[in-house]
Amino acid sequence: MTLLTYTLLTDPAPLEASAAGRSPSTGTVYLVVTNTGQVSVSWRTFRVQVPVGDGAGHLTPNITTVTAQGRYTTSSGTKPVDVQRQDPDAFLVTAPAGASFAPGDHLVLTLENITVAATAGLAVLGVKEHAKRGNLRLDDRSAALAVVKTAPKEIPAPRDFRADDAMVAAGANITLRWEGSDDFDYKILFPDGQATNLSGGSWSPAADDAPKRATTYTLVATSRTTPKREHVLTTTVQVRNPVLESLTAKVAVITPLVVGPNSGEGGIAFLQGGVTVRRTGDSQNRGALFADMASLNGVKTGAVYTEFIYAKDTSEHRYSWINLHGDGITAYLTDGGSNGLGSVTASRFNT
């Protein structure tokens, strides 16, 4: 039975076993040594043996990456102690000259940068103290301390894929960001291409690929584990005054009514065999149609408002026309470009 009490703590707790295709799992082990008795304990050394390998009973596959330091605390203060690595799998802590553990004194051995073995299980560290108490002789006594290694958890899915600015001017530079583990391979898909081998949780397109119209970007994150896991996120950047290279309508848009965008504006109703112009979009009152020119086979209405009426036959510049003005009407005869007065023919007229 050891004269001193040994307690093992880990960060994180518990340690997580490393997994193939992912960044190695790392952690720290703290060994706390204290005197819980009522009599001082003189000590010279204690040796900590670390199980090295990648199996269930091993702590780490490589002890050379582990850094060790010790801090010894007594009633007079805290000071460092000498810690040396002993090949192939141990650390030796040596006491200062004349050191002893009074009741309540303690020492903390810190083992940092531990790459955790790849197999979940229980790793047992061995401790051998060289100490004495009272009339007992200085001797070696041993203890065993266990460390739990859990199976690696699934990598958290990436999240919060967004643009720094959700609305930009056409051609403006943008930056897309996301939160996610470096153990994924990332790529971003967009209408005119893709970006691969991304890292750092952010990406900006080249100037030629800056959005010129509303653009949806797709983030694809693929794990390096077996089996592979894939996560897909999207975000859209809206563009003020978008640039449209072309507009092609592949399917006709059919509607029975077109109205103005503001309250009280007119509308056009599409009826069987024709259209009706309405004063307002929701009324049946007929409104006015304004145009620079109209080609009609016939007019059926209560009133026609126009400045000139031309003859239908315009071959060889021979046509007649009527000018409608404030004082009445004037009939013109045009022959080869002249505007002589023409004649009005009627079966009857009233004056």
Side-chain angles (χ1 to χ4, degrees), residues 229-310:
R229 297 182 181 275
E230 188 173 272
H231 303 275
V232 178
L233 297 89
T234 62
T235 190
T236 299
V237 176
Q238 302 292 337
V239 174
R240 304 183 193 94
N241 304 316
V243 177
L244 300 178
E245 297 179 356
S246 62
L247 180 63
T248 303
K250 295 183 178 180
V251 180
V253 178
I254 300 173
T255 180
L257 178 67
V258 176
V259 298
N262 301 312
S263 176
E265 293 182 343
I268 300 175
F270 296 88
L271 308 176
Q272 187 72 33
V275 298
T276 299
V277 179
R278 296 178 175 177
R279 289 188 181 275
T280 60
D282 58 356
S283 75
Q284 299 299 320
N285 297 324
R286 294 178 179 178
L289 178 64
F290 299 91
D292 181 60
M293 182 179 69
S295 177
L296 307 170
N297 290 328
V299 177
K300 181 179 180 182
T301 183
V304 175
Y305 298 92
T306 185
E307 186 177 357
F308 302 101
I309 300 175
Y310 291 87

Side-chain angles (χ1 to χ4, degrees), residues 306-307 309 321-332 341 344:
T306 185
E307 186 177 357
I309 300 175
W321 55 286
I322 298 174
N323 177 213
L324 308 176
H325 49 82
D327 295 328
I329 65 174
T330 303
Y332 290 97
L341 294 177
V344 176

Side-chain angles (χ1 to χ4, degrees), residues 31-329:
L31 177 61
V32 182
V33 185
T34 188
N35 180 6
T36 59
Q38 301 299 315
V39 180
S40 294
V41 175
S42 299
W43 68 288
R44 296 294 179 266
T45 62
F46 63 85
R47 183 177 185 272
V48 179
Q49 185 173 2
V50 178
V52 176
D54 252 339
H58 298 125
L59 177 63
T60 180
N62 187 4
I63 198 173
T64 62
T65 65
V66 180
T67 58
Q69 61 176 341
R71 304 287 292 179
Y72 181 42
T73 301
T74 66
S75 59
S76 60
T78 300
K79 55 187 176 182
V81 293
D82 182 63
V83 181
Q84 298 292 329
R85 186 168 65 85
Q86 291 190 321
D87 289 332
D89 57 1
F91 293 93
L92 183 68
V93 181
T94 303
S100 65
F101 277 92
D105 290 351
H106 65 273
L107 182 148
V108 177
L109 173 65
T110 303
L111 303 179
E112 297 180 290
N113 302 320
I114 298 173
T115 299
V116 184
T119 308
L122 195 68
V124 178
L125 280 67
V127 176
K128 180 179 289 187
E129 67 178 23
H130 191 62
K132 63 172 290 187
R133 181 175 60 198
N135 296 325
L136 297 175
R137 65 185 179 87
L138 196 65
D139 204 352
D140 291 334
R141 297 171 180 84
S142 300
L145 304 169
V147 176
V148 174
K149 300 173 297 169
T150 61
K153 301 180 182 66
E154 183 179 341
I155 309 172
R159 60 185 180 83
D160 198 18
F161 183 43
R162 79 280 184 191
D164 281 356
D165 299 299
M167 176 72 76
V168 298
N173 185 47
I174 64 168
T175 299
L176 303 179
R177 303 184 190 276
W178 64 92
E179 306 293 334
S181 170
D182 291 337
D183 289 325
F184 285 111
D185 290 324
Y186 293 97
K187 65 180 177 180
I188 292 179
L189 310 178
F190 48 97
D192 298 323
Q194 63 177 315
T196 57
N197 300 322
L198 306 180
S199 62
S202 66
W203 172 79
S204 295
D208 291 344
D209 292 326
K212 299 178 179 61
R213 63 196 67 85
T215 302
T216 297
Y217 296 89
T218 301
L219 176 70
V220 180
T222 305
S223 71
R224 304 185 191 105
T225 57
T226 302
K228 292 185 178 297
R229 297 182 181 275
E230 188 173 272
H231 303 275
V232 178
L233 297 89
T234 62
T235 190
T236 299
V237 176
Q238 302 292 337
V239 174
R240 304 183 193 94
N241 304 316
V243 177
L244 300 178
E245 297 179 356
S246 62
L247 180 63
T248 303
K250 295 183 178 180
V251 180
V253 178
I254 300 173
T255 180
L257 178 67
V258 176
V259 298
N262 301 312
S263 176
E265 293 182 343
I268 300 175
F270 296 88
L271 308 176
Q272 187 72 33
V275 298
T276 299
V277 179
R278 296 178 175 177
R279 289 188 181 275
T280 60
D282 58 356
S283 75
Q284 299 299 320
N285 297 324
R286 294 178 179 178
L289 178 64
F290 299 91
D292 181 60
M293 182 179 69
S295 177
L296 307 170
N297 290 328
V299 177
K300 181 179 180 182
T301 183
V304 175
Y305 298 92
T306 185
E307 186 177 357
F308 302 101
I309 300 175
Y310 291 87
K312 182 178 179 181
D313 184 5
T314 59
S315 61
E316 298 180 0
H317 301 287
R318 297 176 61 86
Y319 56 87
S320 59
W321 55 286
I322 298 174
N323 177 213
L324 308 176
H325 49 82
D327 295 328
I329 65 174

